[in-house]
Amino acid sequence: MHPEALVRDHTIYACVMGSRAFGLATRDSDTDRRGVFLAPTELYWRFEKPPTHVEGPGEERFGWELERFCELALRANPNILECLHSPLVEYVDDTGRELLALREAFLSRQAHDTFTRYAHGQRHKLDADVRVHGAPRWKHAMHLLRLLTSARDLLRTGVLTVDVGEQRESLLAVKRGEVPWPEVEARMTRLAREGEEAARRSPLPAGPDRRRVEDFLYRARRASALRPGPYDEVVQGVVRGRGGGEH
């Protein structure tokens, strides 16, 4: 099966991410689309397995196979967790609704480590830009402030909020380069410190509910295997334990 056909025919969840989901879009903003597809189970019974992710079809679109998506979400990958909480959902089927109902199962205090590691990497790049060019890439500085705020609030409340809400104008001022770098640095340092404090008192569990997620993935794979297909009689016989044919 062609990778783009997996996205076209087997998507269970699709949303808009990036600046539009964050509430930071301007006239020139792209529309970044993200999604999750469930590869038919029978494809895993071949030597060549389905892809774990697909770029496209079209520009600014990226999709993950459900199992890979769940693996990354269980590791508290910031991009994946935010995708699960996008306020701009474009498509969702019954399996996708089950996935969205599991959002809290992926959230844990591990988010502090993953968000912090990502933030440190971005901060080093910004500092390098200042040393070499005299100024950071202001768009990246804006998004780092947004990420640090999101992580702090997640750890404080147990809820991941993607849209920046009332912070939109202050963040866009950073993007336009209207806020001095020392002031932006001070805000980043304060947010990181508040995130550390929030992690120590967070209502989130220590780790994600891996078993709950695994049960969902098992049911999704089994339901896919039982759907009518080219080898319906043999496939359903194997799944139901009747055997695959004559010996």
Side-chain angles (χ1 to χ4, degrees), residues 3 19 40 97 171 176 195 216 242:
S19 294
R97 276 185 278 274
L171 287 170
R176 294 190 295 265
F216 158 68
R242 295 199 305 264

Side-chain angles (χ1 to χ4, degrees), residues 72-171:
L72 293 171
L74 286 168
R75 297 177 197 170
N77 178 291
N79 291 325
I80 299 295
L81 292 181
E82 289 182 336
C83 183
L84 266 177
H85 291 77
S86 172
L88 303 177
V89 175
E90 292 193 318
Y91 174 80
V92 62
D93 67 5
D94 289 343
T95 306
R97 276 185 278 274
E98 283 196 67
L99 175 64
L100 292 181
L102 282 173
R103 283 185 291 199
E104 65 177 22
F106 295 105
L107 297 178
S108 73
R109 293 197 296 274
Q110 288 181 13
H112 178 249
D113 294 331
T114 55
F115 278 65
T116 298
R117 282 200 303 271
Y118 183 81
H120 281 166
Q122 293 300 110
R123 178 66 184 271
H124 288 321
K125 292 177 183 178
L126 291 171
D127 289 339
D129 286 339
V130 173
R131 288 194 301 271
V132 175
H133 305 293
R137 285 172 287 184
W138 291 109
K139 180 179 178 179
H140 292 188
M142 174 192 72
H143 281 298
L144 181 50
L145 286 171
R146 181 202 64 76
L147 182 73
L148 288 168
T149 302
S150 179
R152 180 202 61 187
D153 293 347
L154 167 61
L155 292 163
R156 280 179 174 176
T157 67
V159 177
L160 181 58
T161 302
V162 173
D163 193 297
V164 301
E166 295 179 356
Q167 297 182 57
R168 170 182 164 85
E169 292 308 319
S170 65
L171 287 170

Side-chain angles (χ1 to χ4, degrees), residues 169-221:
E169 292 308 319
S170 65
L171 287 170
L172 288 177
V174 172
K175 180 183 179 182
R176 294 190 295 265
E178 297 171 359
V179 183
W181 174 239
E183 182 178 334
V184 174
E185 279 188 302
R187 287 167 62 179
M188 290 176 179
T189 301
R190 174 177 57 80
L191 286 167
R193 183 178 65 252
E194 291 173 352
E196 292 278 354
E197 295 169 355
R200 290 193 289 269
R201 302 179 176 85
S202 179
L204 291 172
D209 193 340
R210 186 179 182 86
R211 175 166 292 185
R212 187 177 165 199
V213 174
E214 193 169 48
D215 287 346
F216 158 68
L217 181 61
Y218 174 84
R219 287 186 287 102
R221 287 269 189 254

Side-chain angles (χ1 to χ4, degrees), residues 38 41 157:
L38 175 61
T41 301
T157 67

